[in-house]
Each structure stands twice: as structure tokens, then as C-alpha cells.
Amino acid sequence: MAKRAKRRESTLVVLERNGEDAEHRTAVAVQDRRLKFGDDWSYAPAPESNSYIKLQSRYSHFINGKFVTPHSGKYFDSINPATEEKLAEIADGNARDVDRAVQSARRAYQTTWGKMSGRERGKYLYRIARLIQEKSRELAIIESMDGGKPIKESRDIDLPLVAAHFFYYAGWADKLSYAFPGRTPQPLGVAGQIIPWNFPLLMAAWKLAPALACGNTCVLKPAETTSITALRLAEIFQEAELPDGVVNIVTGAGETGRAIVEHSSVNKIAFTGSTEVGKRILKALTGTKKKLTLELGGKAANIIFEDAPIDQAVEGIISGIYFNQGHVCCAGSRLFVQEGVFPQVIRKLRDRISSLRVGDPLDKNTDIGAINSRMQLDKICELVDSGVRQGAQLIQPTLRLPKKGYWYPPSFFTGVTASHRIAQEEIFGPVLSVMTFRTPDEAIERANNTPYGLSAGVWTDKGSKIFKIVNKLRAGVVWANTYNKFDPTSPFGGYKESGFGREGGAHGLLPYLSLT
Ligand code: NDP
């Protein structure tokens, strides 16, 4: 690997943002040791070839086992956020398309899937899991092209987890009665599932695998900007000879999702996305018999104690906030550092972000890919500007970002107070808010001072401290001396405005069953 070491001191100001000159921003005065990384810590390009990827020019809805044109005849463009080039056209679904999909799912539930033994359902899920493994390279490349995430993440994290979810829930399909001893589990019927753009295929797997294992049929709506891999998954369902209508995929915007939520023949809604839309869905379903799970936003506290292994903790901070460009609901976006190690952590963090490589998502050396959409980039910029206006200090490495596409450098703020918007609102980008604390009780109080309650992290040498702290953190998932680790056997979900219900593990079966 040819590493170019141009000798130019790394500075902490933004010189360019998206190809345009941006004003210089305040840097934290850190007078101690400075590492010299050269100007970009760059490696020779190592692009993953996408020359063999054959995307269709148009993707239609997947209903009753076939690709069907949308009722409106309308399509919208799906673009590559790293190049702004059009990848394909995607069907724009309306209430008529949703109705067709729901009817197809209802038929499949009544005639095949709902009657099938768990053992048989499991066979289909194993077959799907194996096909995903076989095609994982291709799927990873499409995921990176459509969503902007680095190939090393889609290849090594997303796709292995997608297959693992299908394998894991395949195993449960014929063992549901063991999961709930003394009870009789029954499927609910038709599940409407609405997913976001940050982990398109993984969120589809989180939703589809448990629903199908439990004997439900599904109508899935992917996010507008990232529908392609879900439709490629539909081709895998065809190859696996999944009975027609068991999974239906309707693409479109928020209105398409709303039509699924409001359809009278849907028995269950599973939603992952923003708290704002989650609240609207909760309101729409109040008074109906539909079951609901909501996996919403987060503003996780990552707490570093003085006795933590600092180098490992810094790596945990990095993966906690910069993984997937920070488009992660459980991102460790509020960092709490115990005062005694604050200068050391800041120095190491500053050095570490200077070494992160931002650029082509298909390059195997890329750490931070493209921001998913123009809209999301604007939202990140708006919140960062609010942080600067409210008096926090912004720290960013010197980077020359590609001229085309949507990019944001890895950034962090110091001098943040609890009332700043950057400490309260989900930025959903590669931007960290750093705060300090003195005592464990103060750390707990400040960590819990948020409307969200999805996840948290604790870094300390002392096991007893871990147990004390994790029991007092109001978060669905707490990682200790690690961060952003996912496993299909492990439940995931939130408290407060982060939603309710659990996905993953045996817990993840419950939202798709009624127990008598
Ligand atoms: P949304 O909540 O708007 O989108 C999530 C999914 O819901 C998408 O498929 C979306 O369709 C669909 N949707 C939108 N409106 C409705 C509706 N009224 N009824 C039913 N479904 C609907 O999130 P955004 O994509 O707009 O992202 C906005 C913010 O949400 C982000 O900045 C981030 O803070 C947060 N977010 C959190 C996620 C998480 O995992 N917790 C995931 C994604 C976003 P469409 O894509 O076509 O709009």
C-alpha cells in the first residue's frame, strides 16, 4: 500500500466544504504534542470494481411475486450520492399500489404462509440466507453506490449481518413454542414495514426475517433514496421460490408509507425512522387494533472515565460517531469525558480524525463515504452552524472534499452545553458533541438528560463501575468498552422518544406474534 507522506502540518480549520471556500472556524487551542500526518493520510486508490454490476434502468413494485408497474405510471430517480449520477428509476407508489400489495399479502397469508409449518418456513429462510451470502459482494457494492456508505462497511458489516438475521430467524421458525413456554404463539397476519435509508438492506432483514419466521406475510416500503437493494432482494425471493405474495415491496415517498400505515387490512406496523414520523404513526394507529413497534431516533451518551483504556476508548468514540457517516440511530453522538483525561482525549481524537479518509465509498480504504442525500447534508450543515452560533468550538481536519457528491468531514465540538441544539437534536451525520463530567453520578444525570433513550456506551477499567452505571442509564442498549456492536441474537430498541418494542433475539419474535 503506497502511503504518501506529504509533510504539511494538519490544521484544524475547514478550508473547503463541498468544493467551495468556507470561512475559517475556531480551533481549540491545544498546545501539546501534535502528530504530523501529512495533509490527507492518503493511500493509493483501492477501488472495488463495479463494472459487472447490472442495474435495471427502472425498478417497479414487487407484488404477488412479480414486478408490476405503478398505478400512477410515475417513477422517480435514485441517485448515487457520491457522484450525483442517476442509478435507476424507482416506481412511485400510491394508495392503489399499497392496496394491491396488502391484498396479495393477505391472500398469501390465508392460502400458503399462514398455514405452512414452521419447519417449512424455516427452509425458505435458510435458502434466502444462503442466496444473500452467495450474492453478498454484489449486494454490498449496490448498497454503497445507492447509499454512499464505505464498501468496507457494507461488505464487512451490513451484508454479513443481513445473512445472519435470516439464518438466525430461520432457526426460530419451528421453535416458536420453545420461545414462549406454556403459551401458543400465533402469527398476526399482514405486517406493514417501513424502513429508513441508513442501513437499507439490514433494516429490511431486521423487519422481514422475524415476521416471516413467525408466519406473517409482509408489505415493505424502503426509503425513497435507497430502494434498489430491497428490489434486488425481491429477485432473491423469486430465486428462492418464496411463495407469491409472502413479501411485497412497494416503493415511494412518505405518502406511500402513510398508505401502508392507514390500510385497514394490515395487522401490524413496524417502523424505523425519525421520531417526528414515528409520533405521527402512533397517533394514526391510536384506537385501532394494529400492533406497533417504533424504532426512532437517538442521541446516545458515550461516557469515558479516567480509568478507561484511553487508546481503545478513542477508537470506540471514532466508531461510535463516524461509522456509516454518523447516519446511525444509536451513534455515540454525545461524548462525556471525565475532566482529568479531557485534554488527552481531545488531543488523541483530533489526531485520529485527521487520519480518517473521506471519499469514494467504493474505495476499500475509505473510512467515511458520502452523505446519503442533499437534504441530509443541508440538515447537518444547519445544525453545525447552530452549534457555532451558540458558542461551541468546531474542530475539523483540513480536507479537500470531492467537488461532486455530498460530503461532510469528520467533526467534533467542544465547549458544548446541555442546552445547545447540537447536544439535544439528532444530527445524523459525522459530528460529535463533547462535554465533560466530574463524578459518576454527574455522568449518569447528564447522559439521561435527553428526550431519547436508545443506546449508550461506558468506558472504564472497573467491572463494578460498569454494572453500577449501566443499570442507571435509561437506554435500550448499553455497550461497555466497545460500541456499535450488533448481533441478530441480541435485542435492540429504545425508551422514551426512541420508541418501543424490540428487534433481534427472541425478543424480536414477540412483536410478530399473539400469544394465547
Ligand atoms: P423519516 O422518518 O421521514 O423516514 C423513514 C421512513 O418512513 C422512510 O421510508 C420514509 O419514506 C417513511 N415515511 C416518511 N413519512 C411517512 C409517513 N407520514 N408515514 C409513513 N411513513 C413515512 O426519516 P427521514 O428519512 O426523513 O430522515 C429524517 C431524520 O430522521 C434523519 O435526519 C434522522 O435524524 C432520523 N432518522 C432516524 C433513523 C433511525 O434509524 N432511527 C433512520 C432514518 C432517519 P421516504 O424515505 O420516502 O421519506
Side-chain angles (χ1 to χ4, degrees):
M1 197 73 65
K3 189 177 8 152
R4 295 202 313 271
K6 287 186 206 148
R7 294 190 59 79
R8 209 179 85 190
E9 187 157 348
S10 159
T11 55
L12 298 173
V13 290
V14 189
L15 294 181
E16 300 221 334
R17 182 190 285 174
N18 283 341
E20 291 162 17
D21 284 336
E23 65 195 55
H24 284 223
R25 296 183 187 276
T26 320
V28 159
V30 183
Q31 300 303 334
D32 44 18
R33 178 182 63 92
R34 287 195 172 217
L35 295 181
K36 293 188 175 71
F37 290 110
D39 65 350
D40 60 1
W41 195 245
S42 60
Y43 284 70
E48 178 77 42
S49 169
N50 63 351
S51 56
Y52 67 97
I53 301 290
K54 302 250 177 306
L55 293 180
Q56 295 175 30
S57 57
R58 257 187 177 185
Y59 287 90
S60 294
H61 302 313
F62 180 67
I63 299 176
N64 203 30
K66 289 166 203 63
F67 287 93
V68 297
T69 51
H71 173 259
S72 65
K74 290 188 192 150
Y75 290 78
F76 58 89
D77 293 346
S78 189
I79 65 153
N80 179 339
T83 60
E84 297 179 56
E85 282 162 10
K86 177 171 153 183
L87 290 172
E89 291 179 355
I90 309 289
D92 193 1
N94 63 19
R96 295 281 283 271
D97 299 309
V98 167
D99 183 52
R100 204 169 158 191
V102 173
Q103 283 186 30
S104 148
R106 173 67 54 201
R107 254 192 326 274
Y109 177 70
Q110 285 164 348
T111 56
T112 52
W113 201 250
K115 292 180 172 171
M116 197 182 277
S117 69
R119 190 159 169 265
E120 288 304 306
R121 288 198 306 271
K123 284 188 198 168
Y124 283 104
L125 292 180
Y126 279 123
R127 199 182 291 171
I128 291 165
R130 283 194 297 269
L131 284 166
I132 290 168
Q133 279 187 322
E134 260 174 51
K135 298 176 200 302
S136 67
R137 191 164 163 198
E138 175 201 347
L139 289 165
I141 294 171
I142 302 175
E143 197 78 317
S144 285
M145 287 166 70
D146 201 21
K149 62 174 66 198
I151 186 72
K152 71 176 177 191
E153 290 178 7
S154 45
R155 180 196 61 197
D156 299 345
I157 299 170
D158 294 53
L159 261 297
L161 280 171
V162 172
H165 268 83
F166 278 99
F167 275 122
Y168 175 72
Y169 281 108
W172 271 120
D174 62 348
K175 302 176 194 68
L176 297 175
S177 52
Y178 298 100
F180 307 101
R183 313 287 297 273
T184 309
Q186 294 291 333
L188 300 173
V190 177
Q193 305 178 313
I194 299 160
I195 55 173
W197 42 262
N198 51 346
F199 293 91
L201 208 43
L202 185 56
M203 288 301 105
W206 277 30
K207 298 274 179 287
L208 294 172
L212 297 177
C214 292
N216 304 279
T217 55
C218 302
V219 176
L220 177 87
K221 190 197 93 67
E224 199 178 341
T225 56
T226 53
S227 301
I228 296 179
T229 43
L231 296 160
R232 186 69 191 89
L233 188 61
E235 291 170 359
I236 289 176
F237 295 149
Q238 287 179 322
E239 203 174 328
E241 296 176 7
L242 188 71
D244 292 348
V246 171
V247 175
N248 304 273
I249 299 173
V250 184
T251 50
E255 277 305 295
T256 318
R258 198 162 66 86
I260 296 176
V261 170
E262 291 175 358
H263 198 289
S264 58
S265 190
V266 168
N267 303 97
K268 194 235 150 52
I269 294 292
F271 172 80
T272 298
S274 62
T275 296
E276 187 195 337
V277 174
K279 283 180 181 173
R280 264 186 259 155
I281 293 176
L282 182 61
K283 220 169 162 184
L285 295 195
T286 306
T288 71
K289 286 188 176 162
K290 288 176 198 165
K291 241 184 155 179
L292 176 64
T293 37
L294 294 175
E295 201 271 271
L296 309 176
K299 192 75 186 174
N302 202 3
I303 305 169
I304 315 290
F305 284 98
E306 282 167 359
D307 58 12
I310 297 298
D311 285 335
Q312 286 94 321
V314 168
E315 286 313 301
I317 297 166
I318 295 288
S319 76
I321 185 65
Y322 303 121
F323 169 54
N324 199 32
Q325 294 74 249
H327 302 328
V328 184
C329 48
C330 52
S333 52
R334 287 181 305 147
L335 179 67
F336 291 98
V337 185
Q338 199 160 15
E339 273 186 7
V341 288
F342 179 73
Q344 192 187 352
V345 169
I346 292 298
R347 190 189 72 225
K348 285 176 185 279
L349 196 54
R350 185 205 63 201
D351 286 345
R352 187 67 178 87
I353 62 168
S354 301
S355 72
L356 293 174
R357 291 169 295 260
V358 183
D360 181 7
L362 287 184
D363 192 313
K364 289 167 217 153
N365 290 323
T366 292
D367 298 304
I368 300 185
I371 299 302
N372 184 267
S373 64
R374 160 66 62 189
M375 219 167 87
Q376 191 59 27
L377 179 60
D378 290 346
K379 182 182 164 187
I380 295 168
C381 293
E382 193 271 317
L383 273 161
V384 168
D385 287 347
S386 84
V388 172
R389 271 201 314 278
Q390 290 187 307
Q393 284 87 52
L394 176 64
I395 298 170
Q396 294 176 319
T398 304
L399 281 180
R400 204 162 283 273
L401 299 170
K403 287 218 182 311
K404 277 224 145 194
Y406 314 133
W407 310 95
Y408 204 84
S411 313
F412 68 91
F413 275 105
T414 57
V416 180
T417 69
S419 63
H420 286 162
R421 284 181 65 202
I422 52 169
Q424 289 291 329
E425 295 178 34
E426 196 178 30
I427 301 175
F428 227 61
V431 183
L432 175 68
S433 298
V434 188
M435 290 165 270
T436 57
F437 69 93
R438 288 184 181 169
T439 63
D441 285 343
E442 187 190 349
I444 294 163
E445 196 178 317
R446 301 194 70 185
N448 286 336
N449 182 16
T450 167
Y452 296 109
L454 190 58
S455 58
V458 181
W459 295 80
T460 167
D461 200 23
K462 307 274 177 300
S464 55
K465 201 188 273 176
I466 290 173
F467 285 114
K468 181 180 172 198
I469 302 284
V470 297
N471 284 319
K472 292 186 175 170
L473 288 175
R474 192 88 179 123
V477 180
V478 184
W479 287 286
N481 291 333
T482 186
Y483 207 92
N484 269 342
K485 291 280 179 286
F486 304 97
D487 191 285
T489 65
S490 184
F492 185 91
Y495 293 108
K496 302 194 284 186
E497 295 205 359
S498 292
F500 50 79
R502 295 292 177 264
E503 294 182 299
H507 299 68
L509 299 166
L510 199 54
Y512 291 101
L513 291 169
S514 71
L515 299 178
T516 49

